[in-house]
Amino acid sequence: MTYVIPAEGRQQEIEHMNYVRDWFTQYKVTADSLWINHGEDKALTGMTFSNSLVLGSQGGATQAGGLFMPLMRPIGSTGGIAVRNYDADGGQERIEIHVDGESINFSLGRLEYETANNYWVSQTYYYQMGGVFLKQPNIGTVSRVAPLINFKKDAGLIDIYITVIQVVEGGRAGISGQGPVRIDTELDSVIEYEPLSNSDVRIEFYLTDLKDAEGWWKTLREERIQAGLTESECPITLDQSIKIVSIDPQLTTGIHYRTVRYNVSLQSVATGAE
């Protein structure tokens, strides 16, 4: 039993992390469908969708009496989900668009699930700017689903398309422990902006964690490669000291952008009512 319990607990926690991964992927698809189908009549403004997420692997610390020896279940993991706009030091994650010496900026925010596994590596999944990211200690951050920023090269020009997803607290901002939690997401607004065009353009992402900044840097470089752009045409750099990822296109650039704002609130769900 000394070996069976950790092995069973490990498998339960792996399965639960796969469940969390799939949950965030489906959350991204559902959230995208709201703003994509919003339309000029803004008919979906105020529309709310709800999802239920189970915190922890739902193991147990109880014993069951066997014929000759007690049988034990592995201890269940715990987890926490939260809407985050600031880090512990008050830093705000945001995107800044600089055009011809002037700048505009938007806060990002994220919906984040962090686990405390007992038998498997602890992981953090979060939804930010339309992407799904996975962060693991001592390994780093990768995007499981790419965020909503794309590059396009046409006739010697670079166009960059950005959908800024703003995740904002709409009620209770964080819950931790075990059991199911309901996540209510309301589409607050979708704003389309006039395209910006200039030869002097720079886009900066301000992050509050170095691993997250490295994840963004790798993701944006992958997006650039897929668009057929070279490093010299569109440098993407990471300043590790201040956790800023910069996009500095060298060709005349058009910026096409919109903002989508979601109000997200969390509610406990009584397990006895399931």
Side-chain angles (χ1 to χ4, degrees):
M1 297 303 294
T2 301
Y3 299 99
V4 171
I5 293 170
E8 183 183 351
R10 178 177 180 271
Q11 183 60 34
Q12 289 178 355
E13 290 179 350
I14 291 174
E15 291 175 356
H16 183 257
M17 295 315 303
N18 289 338
Y19 155 77
V20 172
R21 176 200 63 202
D22 294 342
W23 186 93
F24 270 91
T25 302
Q26 184 58 50
Y27 182 88
K28 178 262 189 313
V29 171
T30 306
D32 280 0
S33 68
L34 279 186
W35 68 261
I36 289 173
N37 296 300
H38 188 249
E40 294 183 358
D41 59 356
K42 301 181 180 180
L44 296 182
T45 297
M47 179 67 69
T48 300
F49 68 93
S50 294
N51 303 77
S52 180
L53 174 67
V54 177
L55 306 182
S57 59
Q58 303 299 289
T62 59
Q63 292 185 343
L67 184 60
F68 300 107
M69 60 185 299
L71 302 177
M72 300 184 66
R73 296 175 59 198
I75 299 173
S77 64
T78 59
I81 187 165
V83 179
R84 283 190 53 196
N85 294 96
Y86 299 89
D87 66 1
D89 298 323
Q92 186 180 45
E93 296 191 325
R94 65 189 188 277
I95 178 175
E96 289 190 357
I97 302 174
H98 303 267
V99 179
D100 195 22
E102 298 184 359
S103 64
I104 53 177
N105 68 85
F106 303 99
S107 62
L108 294 179
R110 63 172 72 178
L111 178 65
E112 180 178 275
Y113 175 84
E114 184 176 5
T115 188
N117 289 331
N118 299 303
Y119 309 100
W120 181 243
V121 60
S122 294
Q123 298 178 331
T124 298
Y125 276 94
Y126 63 91
Y127 168 83
Q128 184 175 54
M129 203 166 140
V132 177
F133 293 83
L134 166 64
K135 179 164 62 177
Q136 299 184 89
N138 304 319
I139 296 178
T141 301
V142 296
S143 62
R144 299 303 301 260
V145 180
L148 296 172
I149 176 168
N150 301 99
F151 302 88
K152 182 179 179 182
K153 182 181 178 181
D154 186 22
L157 303 179
I158 297 176
D159 285 298
I160 302 178
Y161 297 85
I162 304 173
T163 299
V164 181
I165 304 293
Q166 298 178 293
V167 179
V168 181
E169 299 174 10
R172 189 172 180 180
I175 296 177
S176 61
Q178 292 182 322
V181 172
R182 193 182 82 225
I183 297 92
D184 296 332
T185 304
E186 177 194 22
L187 178 62
D188 181 82
S189 63
V190 179
I191 302 176
E192 298 276 354
Y193 293 86
E194 291 294 326
L196 304 173
S197 181
N198 199 281
S199 58
D200 182 15
V201 171
R202 188 176 72 261
I203 302 170
E204 296 178 333
F205 294 84
Y206 288 75
L207 288 310
T208 56
D209 180 270
L210 180 57
K211 288 186 174 63
D212 294 345
E214 290 172 344
W216 267 95
W217 176 67
K218 294 175 184 176
T219 298
L220 292 172
R221 287 167 62 90
E222 292 170 357
E223 293 291 318
R224 183 190 64 195
I225 292 172
Q226 292 179 6
L229 295 170
T230 64
E231 173 69 26
S232 60
E233 291 174 323
C234 187
I236 298 176
T237 58
L238 168 64
D239 188 329
Q240 295 187 348
S241 62
I242 50 180
K243 309 178 188 70
I244 293 179
V245 181
S246 299
I247 303 172
D248 191 11
Q250 300 301 297
L251 303 175
T252 300
T253 306
I255 305 294
H256 309 262
Y257 67 108
R258 67 172 64 89
T259 59
V260 179
R261 180 185 173 99
Y262 290 115
N263 297 325
V264 180
S265 61
L266 311 175
Q267 304 289 336
S268 295
V269 178
T271 56
E274 285 189 302

